[in-house]
Amino acid sequence: EKDRVIPDNYNLRRAEFRRQLGLQPEQKLLLLVGSGFRIKGVDRALQALALLPEELRLRCVLMILGQDNNKPFVRLAQRLGINQQVHFLGGRDDAADFMFAADLLVHPAHREAAGMVLVEAIAARLPVLVTDTCGYSFHVARSGAGTVLESPFDVHRFATETTRMLTTDNRIWREAADTYLATTDIHGMARSAVDIFEEVLTC
């Protein structure tokens, strides 16, 4: 959707929404978007957060948007000692604002056929850290707007890359996203899919 594309008033909108979320300037917002928490790898995201260097971990907040039973993951966060930094916010209509406010989209899915949220994050110029088991992870690889971690999954490697991406100037990923958006028709993906289905069905 075109509302995911970074707006002209991005800086003001980002600052205002972060203020609404109660975030301080020094805090890092990690975002995970998607229903079906087990398949989306919420467990992996929680474990990785717990493994971050203490000084960085204490400045991090993980917000999870989507619908599912969160009780097993709340218990996991409690066991890991990070429950104060993890927030399950349910389904939201303002996901774009979260993307503008966030510092990193984490998507350590166990498996996923597509993953439109990855393309939406690129449109929002939000750096992405994703596993290669997501069908649309190739957009992240092609654009250079984030990092794709190869299988098999290693939570320590995911935590290390999270640390690197949170402590590196994010302009390298944002500029890569700009270049990709200028050369790739991400808004026509749905129309292209329909065209393919229609072509197959008429053969």
Side-chain angles (χ1 to χ4, degrees), residues 92-164:
R92 302 281 300 224
D93 294 327
D94 52 355
D97 283 309
F98 280 92
M99 288 190 177
F100 301 148
D103 297 286
L104 181 66
L105 180 84
V106 292
H107 201 77
H110 291 265
R111 65 181 184 277
E112 184 158 23
M116 183 58 71
V117 68
L118 306 178
V119 181
E120 292 176 341
I122 293 172
R125 295 202 300 175
L126 173 61
V128 178
L129 176 55
V130 62
T131 48
D132 65 356
T133 49
C134 297
Y136 281 175
S137 63
F138 73 87
H139 283 290
V140 179
R142 286 180 183 175
S143 66
T147 302
V148 180
L149 289 185
E150 296 180 356
S151 301
F153 181 80
D154 182 329
V155 69
H156 292 277
R157 189 157 53 104
F158 196 89
T160 297
E161 190 60 23
T162 300
T163 299
R164 185 184 76 84

Side-chain angles (χ1 to χ4, degrees), residues 30-83:
L30 282 68
L31 183 65
L32 194 157
V33 180
S35 299
F37 294 159
R38 186 183 65 81
I39 291 176
K40 291 296 190 295
V42 171
D43 56 334
R44 293 173 165 180
L46 296 175
Q47 292 162 358
L49 175 59
L51 289 172
L52 298 184
E54 183 178 16
E55 187 277 332
L56 177 60
R57 175 174 52 80
L58 293 175
R59 292 191 291 117
C60 286
V61 175
L62 173 62
M63 294 189 177
I64 301 162
L65 310 185
Q67 299 287 357
D68 202 354
N69 175 19
N70 65 21
K71 291 181 180 178
F73 303 98
V74 170
R75 291 194 294 268
L76 176 58
Q78 291 171 340
R79 290 198 300 272
L80 293 169
I82 57 172
N83 53 299

Side-chain angles (χ1 to χ4, degrees), residues 167-197:
T167 55
T168 301
D169 188 339
N170 67 8
R171 282 180 296 181
I172 61 173
W173 295 294
R174 293 180 63 183
E175 290 172 1
D178 283 339
T179 300
Y180 195 65
L181 293 171
T183 58
T184 307
D185 178 20
I186 62 170
H187 302 296
M189 293 172 65
R191 180 67 254 174
S192 297
V194 171
D195 290 342
I196 292 171
F197 288 137

